[in-house]
Amino acid sequence: EYTVGKSHALRIITIGDSFTFGACVSDGETFSSYLEQLLPNSEVLNMGTSGYGMDQILLKLQTQGAPFQPDIVVLGFFDDDLFRDALWFREYFKPKFVKTIHGYEPTNLPLPDPNHSYPTIFDLARIIFQSNIDTAQEVLRGHDKDTPEEISRNDWLVKEIIRTSKSIGAIPY
């Protein structure tokens, strides 16, 4: 519905998880839709995706949002999105940013198409093994206690979403 490139209207991109996407409500009942109705001469592009973490939100902004040259980027998230950043698999394969000597870099890329790709036996074993390790670590440290590594990665991801928004000429919100 929207053309790539700069628009004459105020262009806003909303990015986030299922709350931004509008799970359990009709398209006309999302906060993105209400925002577009409230602001005359505006275009609000809803780029929310159910189940996304901040890592996936960042990559979606960089690859799919940036070409639309928004004036404003609205980030919608809640605390589970931050936990998702520590995962490399959640219903389907996902990227995971890891700290290297060059800073944070995405791993697990390119991702297989979740609609046309199924985990191999090796993948299933790895998923089960990693899930058990993740669960054991959560129990040992308590679910609400993030490790310094997770806090650092989450902080970097949010700052990178802000930096990306500014670099494409948008105001982050």
Side-chain angles (χ1 to χ4, degrees), residues 42 97 131:
S42 70
F97 281 84
S131 295

Side-chain angles (χ1 to χ4, degrees), residues 72-121:
I72 299 172
V73 173
V74 177
L75 171 62
F77 74 96
F78 80 117
D79 60 350
D80 273 6
D81 299 344
L82 301 173
F83 167 73
R84 294 171 186 162
D85 300 337
L87 306 174
W88 58 270
F89 186 89
R90 185 176 185 275
E91 289 101 27
Y92 45 83
F93 291 101
K94 63 177 286 309
K96 179 179 177 182
F97 281 84
V98 295
K99 191 163 190 163
T100 70
I101 59 170
H102 304 293
Y104 285 94
E105 296 182 9
T107 61
N108 214 26
L109 295 174
L111 295 173
D113 181 346
N115 298 318
H116 300 97
S117 163
Y118 301 96
T120 64
I121 290 295

